[in-house]
Amino acid sequence: MRLLVTGGAGFIGANFVHLTLREFPDTEVTVLDALTYAGSRESLSEVADRIRLVEGDITDGALVDELIAGTDAVVHFAAETHVDNGLADPAPFVHTNVVGTFTVLEAVRRHGVRLHHVSTDEVYGDLELGDPARFTESTPYNPSSPYSSTKASADLLVRAWVRSYGVRATISNCSNNYGPYQHVEKFIPRQITNLLTGRRAKLYGSGANVRDWIHVDDHNAAVWRILRDGAIGATYLIGADGERDNLSVLRTLLTLLDRDPDDFDHVPDRAGHDLRYAIDASRLRDELGWRPQHTDFEAGLRATVDWYRSNESWWGPLKADVEARYAERGR
Ligand code: NAD
Ligand code: DAU
């Protein structure tokens, strides 16, 4: 299969490329990535001679058309992804997430190419703390932030292109990923690298907010399952029953890094901070037989800490700029 992976130099996309070459070595992989601040050639250096990496923008209609004309399927990861950045400056989120997805859709429509669109559980808004409810495929869209509203817009474009033009697309909405190659702006890598560089860990608000953590390889295995066997036009939720509040994740990280579990700073809360996400992945489990492999969250965090310890050359050059940006925002 000839596969185009948009955003393949980002966190989940790069892990997807690695998993693809491990599990499906006959796949011909082309990565299209603008190499924004969030993308990194180094994340693909180990497989550089086995893939084609095209540096380009998903809103570049001519380039996207040319690449999609020569492929069998597209897995679309490229996006602006950090909620805090979207609050500070939403324009790139509208451009990449909405116009970019529109550009990909028009090209797959012209060339009859199969598309899998990667999205987020944040399109559903948030749940109350302590509520037994979880998101399902029929939960109404109710996004809270510029990031989640642009991802919701993209999902709706995909649904409309399936219905109006017969585009062969599927959508997945996944919960919070963790694992190697995640940018140090995100919660888990930020805390690990703060502690490794003598900075203090930073918790937004009270830390009661709950995220539903999944290992990135479990997410990507689900994406492959959907790409191969998913029903055209269907949406699948991806989650691994990993609900944890931020305070307990932070305390686990502090303990793994031999610190006092209370040795962190409370910093001002995020505007409109979603309280809780939780995924009911029954459809994916029942219809496609997917099961997560990384079910021990603490073991997964330990391996992630080890990865960041061993790969300072990957994240070190990014760290000072990210922390300068946080400092400007008082966090
Ligand atoms: P990331 O920010 O680490 O990577 C995004 C990649 O997209 C980068 O390589 C960047 O260079 C590229 N990119 C950005 N704008 C582009 C453009 N205009 N043209 C081409 N490339 C561009 O993001 P991630 O965490 O790997 O997320 C990947 C996808 O998964 C996103 O669509 C995101 O919404 C979705 N998602 C993420 C999570 C999560 O926990 N991280 C959970 C569910 C869904
Ligand atoms: O749910 C899926 C989403 O998960 C993805 O769609 C997004 O692309 C991804 O960034 C992530 O969004 P979150 O906002 O949940 O992730 P983030 O890593 O920014 O923050 C996780 C939680 O930790 C959130 O409640 C805010 C909090 N936080 C974050 C940072 C950076 C802190 O307490 N301290 C921090 O320093």
Side-chain angles (χ1 to χ4, degrees):
M1 184 198 271
R2 295 167 305 169
L3 194 62
L4 179 68
V5 181
T6 74
F11 163 46
I12 306 176
N15 279 287
F16 180 82
V17 171
H18 289 289
L19 180 137
T20 298
L21 296 174
R22 272 196 316 270
E23 310 268 323
F24 309 100
D26 292 340
T27 314
E28 255 180 54
V29 176
T30 300
V31 168
L32 171 61
D33 198 296
L35 298 177
T36 68
Y37 81 95
S40 159
R41 256 180 214 286
E42 283 72 53
S43 303
L44 297 169
S45 57
E46 280 169 32
V47 293
D49 56 344
R50 298 180 62 196
I51 63 169
R52 177 177 173 216
L53 171 55
V54 178
E55 182 175 351
D57 200 300
I58 53 161
T59 61
D60 178 342
L63 175 64
V64 168
D65 191 84
E66 179 196 324
L67 292 174
I68 286 181
T71 200
D72 299 310
V74 181
V75 181
H76 176 38
F77 290 99
E80 286 290 338
T81 62
H82 193 37
V83 173
D84 294 326
N85 292 345
L87 290 163
D89 180 12
F93 287 69
V94 174
H95 187 67
T96 289
N97 300 358
V98 184
V99 180
T101 301
F102 163 73
T103 309
V104 169
L105 279 167
E106 284 292 83
V108 294
R109 169 158 89 99
R110 274 192 295 273
H111 298 289
V113 166
R114 170 85 169 86
L115 169 69
H116 180 70
H117 171 67
V118 178
S119 189
T120 171
D121 59 357
E122 296 195 15
V123 300
Y124 298 114
D126 60 355
L127 299 160
E128 294 298 328
L129 298 176
D131 182 345
R134 299 193 291 171
F135 298 136
T136 70
E137 286 80 5
S138 53
T139 302
Y141 274 35
N142 187 25
S144 318
S145 68
Y147 165 65
S148 55
S149 59
T150 56
K151 291 296 293 186
S153 307
D155 294 8
L156 296 182
L157 292 177
V158 176
R159 289 183 182 193
W161 262 240
V162 170
R163 171 127 180 205
S164 302
Y165 302 119
V167 160
R168 291 181 300 127
T170 41
I171 300 176
S172 55
N173 298 82
C174 187
S175 58
N176 285 65
N177 286 220
Y178 72 96
Y181 299 110
Q182 187 168 28
H183 197 278
V184 292
E185 68 189 352
K186 303 295 196 308
F187 178 55
I188 288 176
R190 184 185 184 203
Q191 312 314 326
I192 297 171
T193 56
N194 273 5
L195 298 172
L196 291 177
T197 54
R199 295 173 169 92
R200 287 172 63 77
K202 308 282 182 187
L203 187 69
Y204 291 1
S206 69
N209 307 63
V210 170
R211 297 294 182 263
D212 189 353
W213 294 98
I214 181 172
H215 193 277
V216 63
D217 284 345
D218 284 330
H219 178 183
N220 282 329
V223 167
W224 259 107
R225 222 28 105 81
I226 298 164
L227 185 64
R228 287 158 76 101
D229 299 324
I232 296 302
T235 289
Y236 296 88
L237 263 56
I238 307 175
D241 302 329
E243 281 188 73
R244 295 275 187 301
D245 64 63
N246 293 341
L247 176 59
S248 35
V249 174
L250 183 56
R251 286 195 163 133
T252 306
L253 289 171
L254 283 156
T255 307
L256 287 170
L257 283 143
D258 301 321
R259 305 298 163 91
D260 182 318
D262 288 323
D263 195 12
F264 62 86
D265 293 335
H266 283 280
V267 294
D269 210 351
R270 174 184 280 172
H273 195 173
D274 280 342
L275 274 179
R276 171 175 163 253
Y277 309 136
I279 293 275
D280 177 347
S282 301
R283 178 176 206 178
L284 181 66
R285 287 172 177 267
D286 297 347
E287 293 181 17
L288 300 185
W290 171 87
R291 297 284 182 279
Q293 302 301 311
H294 297 265
T295 49
D296 181 340
F297 182 59
E298 193 168 324
L301 278 188
R302 188 175 304 112
T304 304
V305 169
D306 288 345
W307 189 87
Y308 281 89
R309 262 194 220 285
S310 309
N311 288 279
E312 185 162 354
S313 59
W314 182 85
W315 57 264
L318 311 171
K319 185 67 184 167
D321 281 355
V322 167
E323 288 308 315
R325 217 177 316 144
Y326 274 121
E328 281 165 22
R329 296 172 189 164
R331 297 197 185 95

